[in-house]
Each structure stands twice: as structure tokens, then as C-alpha cells.
Amino acid sequence: MNSQPAIRVVQDTAADVSEQERALQGWTQHYSQLEAGRFTGGLREIGVPGVRLIHETTNLRLHQHTAPPPDSLVLGVPSLESAPARFEGQTVGAGDVILFRGARLCDFLCSGPMSILAVALDPKRLPGLPSPNAESLSSGTFSSPWAAALRSELACLLADEAAGAEAMRRAGLVMGLLDRCHQIIDGVASDPNGERMIGPSQRQALVNRARDFVAAHPDDVLSVAQIAQGVGVTTRMLEYSFADIMGMSPKEYLRMIRLNAARRALRGADPRQSTVAEIAMDHGFWHLGRFSTYYFQMYGEKPSDTLKRRAPVLA
């Protein structure tokens, strides 16, 4: 008797980036909202052992640090309605495919509403890759003549979870999708310029170093000059790099990162034991009125309202 593959179906919505980043099971993710407004996100996932189809949507400018589970390869394509984006410092166009290597944190910046279609694979499902388990491949963005075909196939499968789940039970369809992925990966792995095409830019690397420097000084409210000195570049070069990669100044970015951290703290705090002022100061906002203004502009509500509406404690 032929056994049917186990089908995993997920349909989820989120009202905050902290909820969205937990939606993909097994992934390591940290999202930061970089635009004022109420966040909404969605996830649709259909999977069989070794193959997961994913459609993720968000409505605002977003910065992500994301890594799929270990021992996995992920191919992603933006939907045609998705806002311009950068992955590892490189622009992502309609003819591009994003490649994630398992367990490696990557940098993704979307300038507005995002819609990404992806397939996450166990490399063992792709025998005959150019090297065992595709060890020669690096995370990055590359042009592929089969990007449009992959987008169309994933969009069709993920348009309706019931129909997609039924389709994924058919071995022939899964094998066809695996063939497509093999075709794309083989194309980039055999490209002599692949290393140059998918490597991060110097400005992306500089932004990464600046972020690491800030993370190493969590109790300090650093100036742009101090950060530039800490990573060994001029302030102007740091400004140019952030403007190019992040679309904002280092000062603006750091303030938004602190706002994201403060919001997480407010959502998790007990209003009987914590105050807005304490949490604001813990995150480098010494002027409560200014913090409240920044917070309201970013999230559309007062920090005191967030604290009162404490997020439910997860079991």
C-alpha cells in the first residue's frame, strides 16, 4: 500500500514584527520595523518532508536578519508587486533569485510592502549538485533565466492552501519542482563569476561591522562618530554606506533599532512592576516626551497603551 506524505500547512497572520519573526518554524529571525504605521504580516506554508513552500507578506519597510534551519537551502523570488529590496547589500530584481544557506544569518532590507515566495529544501532531495550538499554555494542574489518560472510555480501552489496541499501529495509535481530548483542551483554554481556576483558589497560589510560594534556596547548610547571610529572608517563613509544599504542615516537607523527594542520590552513587561520611563531609559531614551513622540509616530499608539496591553505570555 502506498503511503501518503505527511503534509504541513500553516496559515498565519501577525500584528507586530515580533509575531512575524516567530512564524517560520526552525528559522532564526530578527525583524525591525523601519517605517511608521501599524504592522501587518502574513505567512502561508505548505510542506512535505524535505520540501517547504513559503509565501511571506509584510506591509511596511522592514529590516531582517534571517537564517533558515541548518542543512537547508532556500530559493526565494520576490512577487512582482513586492517593493524594491536588497539582500546582502545587492538589489533584488524581478529576474533574480535569492539563495539562503542554512544556519547563516543574512541581511534583507525591503523598502515597502513585501511579498516573497520561497522553497526551502533539504539538499539530500537534490542529488547530483555540483558539490556534496552544495557546499560550494554562498548566500546571495543572482540573476537566473528561470526566476520567472519558479515564481509562477510557487504562486500557483501557494494561492490556496487546500489545493496546494493536495498538489504536494503528488510525487510527480514535487519532483518537477525539485528539478526546477536543481536547474537554478546548477546554473549559479557553474557560473565562473558566481563568487563575485553573490558576495556582499564593501558597504554592506561596513554596515554589518557597525551593527556588530553597536551590539558589543549595549549599555552605551553611541554617536555616529564613535561608531565610525570603532569600525575604522570616516564618519562620511559610514553615512554613505548606511544611505546606500539602509536608505537612512546611521542616527535614524540606531533610533529605530532602539525603538524596536523598547517596544519588545513594553510588550513583555508587567505594568504592575515596570514603567514607561524605566523602559525608555533602559533603551537610551532619556527624554520621555521625545520618546513618546517617536514611539507614537512609529507605531500609532502611546507607549503607555502598549504597556497596558501586555502581550500574552506564551506557554
Side-chain angles (χ1 to χ4, degrees):
M1 183 174 65
N2 293 330
S3 60
Q4 292 287 335
I7 302 291
R8 171 181 166 81
V9 178
V10 175
Q11 181 77 29
D12 199 9
T13 59
D16 192 87
V17 292
S18 62
E19 299 171 6
Q20 183 76 14
E21 66 190 8
R22 294 194 299 266
L24 272 172
Q25 186 179 53
W27 288 55
T28 300
Q29 302 203 102
H30 183 86
Y31 289 8
S32 296
Q33 179 179 327
L34 301 182
E35 178 184 0
R38 291 191 178 276
F39 176 87
T40 59
L43 176 73
R44 176 170 289 172
E45 180 182 345
I46 303 171
V48 295
V51 183
R52 296 169 65 181
L53 311 185
I54 299 161
H55 185 199
E56 183 179 16
T57 59
T58 57
N59 69 321
L60 297 174
R61 181 181 176 89
L62 200 67
H63 186 210
Q64 303 180 16
H65 296 116
T66 180
D71 301 320
S72 64
L73 283 170
V74 180
L75 296 176
V77 284
S79 298
L80 295 179
E81 65 270 20
S82 194
R86 284 180 177 268
F87 182 76
E88 290 293 88
Q90 292 184 294
T91 57
V92 182
D96 293 330
V97 175
I98 302 169
L99 172 67
F100 297 83
R101 282 302 307 274
R104 183 189 182 281
L105 277 171
C106 292
D107 191 279
F108 186 84
L109 175 71
C110 195
S111 62
M114 178 190 74
S115 176
I116 296 292
L117 297 155
V119 53
L121 304 165
D122 180 342
K124 297 184 185 68
R125 298 297 302 269
L126 295 173
L129 286 175
S131 61
N133 291 331
E135 290 296 331
S136 64
L137 298 173
S138 300
S139 298
T141 302
F142 55 91
S143 178
S144 173
W146 302 287
L150 181 63
R151 178 185 299 109
S152 176
E153 290 160 2
L154 291 177
C156 181
L157 288 167
L158 286 158
D160 179 86
E161 61 266 29
E166 181 59 34
M168 289 294 284
R169 289 190 174 92
R170 302 176 184 174
L173 187 146
V174 174
M175 291 306 300
L177 184 62
L178 293 176
D179 285 344
R180 176 72 68 198
C181 294
H182 195 297
Q183 187 179 39
I184 292 171
I185 294 172
D186 185 65
V188 68
S190 61
D191 182 358
N193 295 318
E195 289 295 320
R196 177 183 61 81
M197 290 176 63
I198 66 176
S201 69
Q202 289 183 328
R203 290 185 176 182
Q204 177 71 63
L206 196 160
V207 169
N208 290 345
R209 295 207 312 272
R211 185 168 54 246
D212 291 342
F213 182 81
V214 173
H217 299 80
D219 298 326
D220 299 330
V221 181
L222 301 168
S223 69
V224 174
Q226 287 173 316
I227 298 169
Q229 183 179 20
V231 298
V233 298
T234 65
T235 302
R236 180 174 295 181
M237 179 57 73
L238 190 67
E239 293 277 358
Y240 285 161
S241 295
F242 267 84
D244 180 34
I245 299 299
M246 301 302 301
M248 61 180 63
S249 71
K251 183 177 180 180
E252 291 171 321
Y253 177 75
L254 291 172
R255 184 175 68 234
M256 290 187 178
I257 291 301
R258 296 203 311 273
L259 281 170
N260 276 267
R263 181 170 177 82
R264 292 172 192 274
L266 287 165
R267 283 171 57 85
D270 186 337
R272 297 168 299 182
Q273 300 178 4
S274 301
T275 67
V276 170
E278 290 170 345
I279 292 173
M281 287 189 289
D282 284 345
H283 293 86
F285 295 98
W286 311 111
H287 192 292
L288 185 58
R290 195 169 298 158
F291 168 70
S292 297
T293 299
Y294 288 148
Y295 193 93
F296 187 83
Q297 290 173 342
M298 188 74 162
Y299 300 112
E301 64 181 12
K302 298 176 182 178
S304 56
D305 293 336
T306 304
L307 182 61
K308 292 174 185 176
R309 195 185 67 254
R310 182 188 180 191
V313 177
L314 297 177

